[in-house]
Amino acid sequence: MKVLKFGGTSVGTVESLKAVLSIVKKSYEAKEKPLVVLSAMSGVTNLLTQLAEDASEGKAFSEGLKLLEDKHFTVVKELLAVKYQNPVFTKLKLFFNEIEDLLQGIFALRELSNQSKDLIISYGERCSNYMVSKVMEQYIPESLFVDASHYVKTDSNFGNAHLNEVLTEQLIKSLYITHGDKLLFVTGFIGSNENGRITTLGRGGSDYTAAIFGSILDATAIEIWTDVNGMLTADPRIVKKAFSLPVLSYTEAMELSYFGAKVIYPPTMIPAFLKKIPIVIRNTFEPDFSGTVIQFDSGKTSLPIKGISSISDISVINLSGSGMIGKSGFSGRLFTLLAREQINVVLITQSSSEHSITFAVNPADAKRAIQLIEIEFELEIQANKLVIPAVEENLSVLAIVGENMKRTPGMSGRLFAALGRNGINVRAIAQGSSEYNISVIIGKEDLAKALNAVHDAFFAELKKTLHVFNIGTGNIGATLFKQLEEQHDFLLDKNDIEIKVVGISNSRKMLFNTEGVNLSSWSAELENNGSEADLALFIEKMKALNLPNCVFIDNTASKLPATYYEDIFKANISIVTCNKIANSGKYAQYKTLRDTAHRHGVDFFYETNVGAGLPIVRVLKDLMLSGDRILKIEAILSGTISYIFNNFKDEASFYDVVKKAQELGYTEPDPRDDLGGIDFMRKMLILARDAGYAVEAEDVELGAILPEACLQADTVDAFYTELQNENAYFEAMKAKAAREKKVIRYIGKLEGGKVSIGIEFVDENHPFYALSGSDNIISFTTERYKERPLVVKGPGAGAEVTAAGVFADLVNVGA
């Protein structure tokens, strides 16, 4: 036989009850000989409790009683044929009349005992089971209502009664001998004492009823039907990627449930555990889903852990002092005191010096625990052997659970790496010797972030989610969004990364969406739904959302964002930027940003600062990481200047080439912004710093391309006029190159810690001789690449390649 237990949500509405009836019929027709245990209808136990408390305070209760009656009568009208309704209405009405009489008595006495409360709330189970048994009787005439209070015998600890196992076993076996051929609908949660007074079995009481009957009758399985697909790897309300576990061991299920998983209450299932009866968690609303089987041994699995559980609100008490050191029995005295006063201790950790004990309790118990400790250890406190205990509030417990942890090295490392990278401070740690559980105490405000970060870290088959906050929606930003949209599926399939752009801002508007902005319509969403742009507010909102694996992308050329970089790193958020200003400012700022990123374990990627989409910064860092020594770097790092000198030949004048470059969009609106060499200088400055030199901008020897008259022209038009006037200067340069069979290049050099940029004439033996178009090029001469330098060459300008460089940096954060 099989026990089917349905919780309150499963019997909460007409629609859910239809699902219950279908499941029970299917089991009955499959010859599984089901025994059905039902909870009260959803909300009924709370309503009955409230009515009893209202009556004890002299408040009216008739309206609530009417609501209770309507709730049940609606089900009867909907699910029971008219010809069968009257007897059921009559019986239910008798139940409601009995409740009303009890409430009247409580109202008159203004007193509510635990015994009276147990009796009143027992009607929730009695009404639901009687009603459903009668509905089922239409289809299966052998259906029979069973009031478990006649068979489940307990002591008189009302509200949380303890089972009389011997007598209960005799009575249940007798029931089954007599009615084993029937489809039994048994009230969960309730029993009775030796005098026949109704008792309740406490938290998880209906599960307990199912376990009692299943154990005594040697059930093949106990199915707990609820509103979720079994036990999940984490709370699905917080962790959207949580998934169902097919198998758990009893120990794993108990650990997960103890730390917050509400699917079952483990103590109530002990009768089933002792008999090694499998417990199956199923979803009433998705009956075809196989759910989670909880059994003696979970068997082999590839999962490093089985789940991540949590308690969202706890308080931590720290007891310290020299009087604890080497004092035998101190811990026993402390925890005996708390146990005697019914204060549950969630977690305990003690320093190896025995100087302090830290333990976690329910916040409602914290103040009383302090008072009890101060009384119990009054002499020690007065003698300064103990410090008055301190309470830390607004904390949570996160626990990773799994039998595989015992055989898998690096579990704690993976846990703390995920927490540390996301800036989550661990206040206390506890791990049992069984190694089934590692628990940490963290700030309550970080719980959602921690659960998601740790879930990503442990379940490799899932995709890591990066939460991106992007400022700048010009050519590069817009192109990046397009590339992210186009490559979304590829990133999921090949890189196991999902990128969600959750914040966008330009100079006018900003927009947030924690589920991810739709990148096919981001521009319209920003325009129509965005609020007024405010960079400081944007960054504060980004930090306040406290999402895991965050990346801030700066796709602007503004000075302002760089002033926030250090603060962003301190919030444990990585930065990807194509904005050169932060890295090419004062060296002290450059160093501060690197040190801050390193200290907080986050990434600072800026490949596009130097070579747009070319892997220049990464190649330099890889060379240095491998122990190679940089002897010399030569580079052309301006696509604009590269284009101009590559095309300044034959009959073309310098004026014509510059004009053409501007028409093609290669130059800034004022070409002097490119030809002045300042942007090139910033790139060489960044390279020099990354190569290990503390170089300032004023240390760079910057050679001029343009005569002074061109640089000093008041307007762009005036600049072009001066460019024509200086034609002889440029023609002489061209003639010299032709005479020497060389080409003109504007080259940056780093050698011996010195940076210089200037015009050079190079022959065909130089790696820069054959440069064409607007390509950038860089050559690394190192100890390993001494005879033949390592050369990187490719397009050095344009939104597509720059956005691609930002994209690559972003993917590297995910990696």
Side-chain angles (χ1 to χ4, degrees):
M1 61 88 65
K2 182 183 286 188
V3 176
L4 310 180
K5 181 264 174 178
F6 294 90
T9 53
S10 297
V11 292
T13 65
V14 170
E15 289 306 311
S16 64
L17 277 166
K18 286 179 180 177
V20 170
L21 295 170
S22 174
I23 291 164
V24 173
K25 280 194 284 185
K26 186 176 180 180
S27 178
Y28 185 83
E29 290 164 0
K31 309 297 182 185
E32 292 177 338
K33 298 185 69 178
L35 180 147
V36 183
V37 176
L38 300 180
S39 296
M41 291 184 74
S42 180
V44 165
T45 300
N46 288 340
L47 177 58
L48 287 168
T49 301
Q50 187 61 54
L51 292 177
E53 290 172 354
D54 286 347
S56 70
E57 296 170 6
K59 297 177 183 177
F61 52 80
S62 58
E63 189 174 327
L65 200 58
K66 180 68 166 58
L67 182 65
L68 184 72
E69 185 177 299
D70 290 345
K71 190 176 183 75
H72 289 83
F73 281 5
T74 298
V75 172
V76 175
K77 291 173 184 175
E78 288 287 334
L79 298 182
L80 200 61
V82 174
K83 61 182 177 180
Y84 301 124
Q85 288 180 5
N86 279 339
V88 179
F89 281 139
T90 301
K91 179 65 175 177
L92 288 174
K93 190 63 178 174
L94 287 172
F95 281 147
F96 298 139
N97 289 341
E98 290 170 13
I99 296 170
E100 184 175 16
D101 290 344
L102 288 167
L103 292 173
Q104 290 287 5
I106 292 167
F107 183 88
L109 294 172
R110 297 293 197 274
E111 182 182 351
L112 177 61
S113 66
N114 285 337
Q115 180 176 332
S116 299
K117 185 184 288 187
D118 275 4
L119 180 55
I120 287 175
I121 62 179
S122 73
Y123 281 96
E125 271 70 20
R126 288 194 270 180
C127 287
S128 67
N129 276 270
Y130 173 76
M131 177 179 69
V132 175
S133 71
K134 289 300 178 182
V135 172
M136 184 58 84
E137 205 175 277
Q138 297 173 106
Y139 312 104
I140 302 173
E142 295 80 16
S143 300
L144 181 67
F145 166 61
V146 176
D147 186 337
S149 65
H150 299 311
Y151 304 96
V152 177
K153 289 298 178 177
T154 70
D155 62 11
S156 298
N157 185 29
F158 296 99
N160 191 19
H162 302 113
L163 188 67
N164 181 331
E165 295 178 12
V166 175
L167 184 54
T168 298
E169 183 171 354
Q170 292 174 357
L171 291 170
I172 288 177
K173 283 184 174 178
S174 175
L175 166 70
Y176 208 67
I177 289 168
T178 307
H179 297 295
D181 58 334
K182 302 285 198 309
L183 175 56
L184 305 181
F185 285 82
V186 180
T187 55
F189 185 50
I190 64 175
S192 65
N193 65 8
E194 67 277 8
N195 297 318
R197 299 286 187 184
I198 295 291
T199 59
T200 59
L201 302 176
R203 181 183 166 191
S206 291
D207 287 354
Y208 195 17
T209 302
I212 291 167
F213 274 83
S215 175
I216 291 170
L217 299 175
D218 293 318
T220 56
I222 298 170
E223 293 183 353
I224 307 293
W225 291 83
T226 180
D227 56 358
V228 293
N229 284 335
M231 293 194 77
L232 280 72
T233 50
D235 186 340
R237 295 169 299 180
I238 301 173
V239 181
K240 303 301 182 188
K241 296 181 188 176
F243 60 91
S244 297
L245 294 159
V247 181
L248 286 172
S249 70
Y250 293 142
T251 305
E252 289 169 334
M254 291 182 78
E255 291 278 2
L256 284 170
S257 296
Y258 180 74
F259 282 99
K262 306 299 184 187
V263 177
I264 60 168
Y265 183 53
T268 66
M269 304 310 295
I270 288 174
F273 294 170
L274 293 175
K275 285 276 189 87
K276 297 185 180 179
I277 299 170
I279 298 163
V280 188
I281 312 299
R282 304 284 298 274
N283 189 342
T284 303
F285 308 102
E286 289 189 42
D288 293 331
F289 191 83
S290 56
T292 301
V293 178
I294 302 170
Q295 58 192 30
F296 181 73
D297 183 1
S298 64
K300 292 183 179 180
T301 174
S302 61
L303 297 176
I305 64 172
K306 285 298 181 66
I308 307 156
S309 200
S310 60
I311 300 173
S312 62
D313 195 10
I314 55 115
S315 294
V316 167
I317 297 174
N318 187 54
L319 193 58
S320 63
S322 60
M324 297 167 59
I325 300 174
K327 190 74 178 285
S328 60
F330 184 90
S331 298
R333 187 176 160 198
L334 169 64
F335 295 115
T336 299
L337 164 70
L338 298 173
R340 185 175 67 237
E341 298 296 326
Q342 300 293 307
I343 294 176
N344 183 42
V345 177
V346 174
L347 176 149
I348 305 166
T349 182
Q350 182 173 14
S351 65
S352 58
S353 66
E354 300 182 41
H355 184 264
S356 68
I357 294 177
T358 299
F359 60 95
V361 298
N362 187 299
D365 294 328
K367 185 176 180 181
R368 189 160 62 95
I370 292 291
Q371 293 170 344
L372 291 167
I373 291 168
E374 288 179 347
I375 295 169
E376 178 70 22
F377 297 99
E378 182 180 7
L379 295 177
E380 288 89 341
I381 292 172
Q382 287 179 354
N384 292 323
K385 297 289 186 181
L386 283 181
V387 178
I388 294 174
V391 180
E392 194 172 357
E393 297 178 323
N394 296 318
L395 298 172
S396 298
V397 176
L398 179 149
I400 59 172
V401 173
E403 288 184 349
N404 250 11
M405 289 166 57
K406 192 170 186 176
R407 298 178 290 274
T408 308
M411 290 295 98
S412 56
R414 201 186 301 189
L415 168 65
F416 295 120
L419 295 174
R421 183 170 174 82
N422 283 280
I424 298 163
N425 186 36
V426 176
R427 315 294 178 88
I429 306 162
Q431 180 174 12
S433 58
S434 66
E435 297 185 55
Y436 285 148
N437 175 315
I438 301 175
S439 304
V440 295
I441 294 176
I442 60 176
K444 185 177 179 180
E445 72 279 4
D446 287 328
L447 181 59
K449 183 185 191 179
L451 283 168
N452 281 280
V454 173
H455 199 269
D456 268 4
F458 277 98
F459 296 107
E461 70 275 17
L462 298 178
K463 314 304 180 186
K464 183 176 184 178
T465 299
L466 295 182
H467 295 98
V468 171
F469 297 83
N470 180 91
I471 61 169
T473 61
N475 285 340
I476 296 170
T479 305
L480 175 65
F481 296 155
K482 179 185 173 188
Q483 291 176 357
L484 288 173
E485 183 186 14
E486 290 173 348
Q487 298 301 317
H488 179 268
D489 293 344
F490 176 83
L491 287 174
L492 283 175
D493 293 340
K494 303 300 182 183
N495 294 74
D496 292 329
I497 295 172
E498 180 177 19
I499 295 174
K500 287 185 178 181
V501 179
V502 295
I504 297 175
S505 180
N506 56 27
S507 59
R508 298 177 300 101
K509 294 281 187 79
M510 62 183 186
L511 175 73
F512 295 92
N513 183 344
T514 55
E515 294 302 314
V517 176
N518 186 337
L519 294 182
S520 64
S521 58
W522 68 267
S523 182
E525 284 189 48
L526 180 64
E527 188 62 35
N528 298 329
N529 303 324
S531 56
E532 184 180 352
D534 182 325
L535 183 57
L537 190 61
F538 183 87
I539 290 167
E540 284 307 309
K541 175 74 171 177
M542 173 178 69
K543 293 192 293 184
L545 286 173
N546 209 22
L547 297 170
N549 305 318
C550 287
V551 185
F552 176 81
I553 298 181
D554 180 4
N555 278 324
T556 74
S558 167
K559 293 180 180 179
L560 185 59
T563 63
Y564 291 96
Y565 282 10
E566 185 179 356
D567 190 37
I568 292 168
F569 287 139
K570 287 178 178 178
N572 287 83
I573 296 171
S574 295
I575 294 178
V576 170
T577 180
C578 64
N579 187 340
K580 290 181 279 293
I581 290 172
N583 284 322
S584 59
K586 291 295 181 182
Y587 179 79
Q589 180 188 33
Y590 167 91
K591 189 172 187 309
T592 296
L593 293 179
R594 261 138 209 81
D595 291 346
T596 307
H598 179 73
R599 189 166 60 250
H600 289 271
V602 292
D603 294 312
F604 184 24
F605 291 146
Y606 47 88
E607 186 65 71
T608 51
N609 278 194
V610 176
L614 292 182
I616 293 174
V617 172
R618 191 165 298 115
V619 168
L620 174 60
K621 289 184 176 180
D622 286 347
L623 288 170
M624 296 178 70
L625 280 172
S626 68
D628 203 352
R629 190 166 71 89
I630 307 296
L631 301 178
K632 182 171 68 172
I633 295 176
E634 291 182 286
I636 294 175
L637 297 175
S638 168
T640 303
I641 295 174
S642 179
Y643 174 84
I644 289 170
F645 281 116
N646 286 336
N647 288 276
F648 181 45
K649 56 189 177 183
D650 300 329
E651 301 303 317
S653 71
F654 198 77
Y655 168 89
D656 293 334
V657 174
V658 173
K659 198 73 174 172
K660 182 68 173 178
Q662 186 174 32
E663 290 170 2
L664 292 172
Y666 286 139
T667 74
E668 296 294 329
D670 187 338
R672 287 172 294 181
D673 291 343
D674 300 290
L675 293 169
I678 298 299
D679 186 62
F680 196 158
M681 181 272 292
R682 288 175 177 153
K683 295 176 180 181
M684 288 302 299
L685 190 63
I686 294 167
L687 270 180
R689 289 171 173 179
D690 279 2
Y693 299 104
V695 183
E696 298 288 0
E698 52 268 27
D699 299 328
V700 178
E701 184 183 325
L702 182 60
I705 296 175
L706 300 172
E708 191 65 24
C710 296
L711 292 171
Q712 297 301 324
D714 293 337
T715 65
V716 174
D717 288 341
F719 156 72
Y720 275 115
T721 300
E722 291 297 333
L723 209 56
Q724 287 176 314
N725 293 339
E726 296 287 349
N727 188 55
Y729 168 80
F730 294 108
E731 287 300 317
M733 192 186 302
K734 188 201 301 182
K736 181 177 185 296
R739 199 166 50 246
E740 297 177 2
K741 296 184 178 179
K742 294 180 179 180
V743 292
I744 308 166
R745 298 288 183 254
Y746 191 62
I747 297 174
K749 283 186 181 178
L750 168 65
E751 191 170 10
K754 302 294 183 181
V755 181
S756 63
I757 307 171
I759 289 177
E760 293 189 35
F761 297 86
V762 300
D763 62 24
E764 59 186 7
N765 296 315
H766 196 284
F768 295 179
Y769 180 83
L771 195 66
S772 61
S774 61
D775 282 359
N776 279 356
I777 190 168
I778 185 166
S779 96
F780 296 95
T781 304
T782 73
E783 288 286 1
R784 294 179 190 149
Y785 295 94
K786 190 179 292 184
E787 300 304 322
R788 298 187 66 187
L790 172 63
V791 176
V792 179
K793 174 186 170 185
E800 283 290 340
V801 292
T802 305
V806 173
F807 194 153
D809 277 348
L810 183 56
V811 172
N812 277 311
V813 174

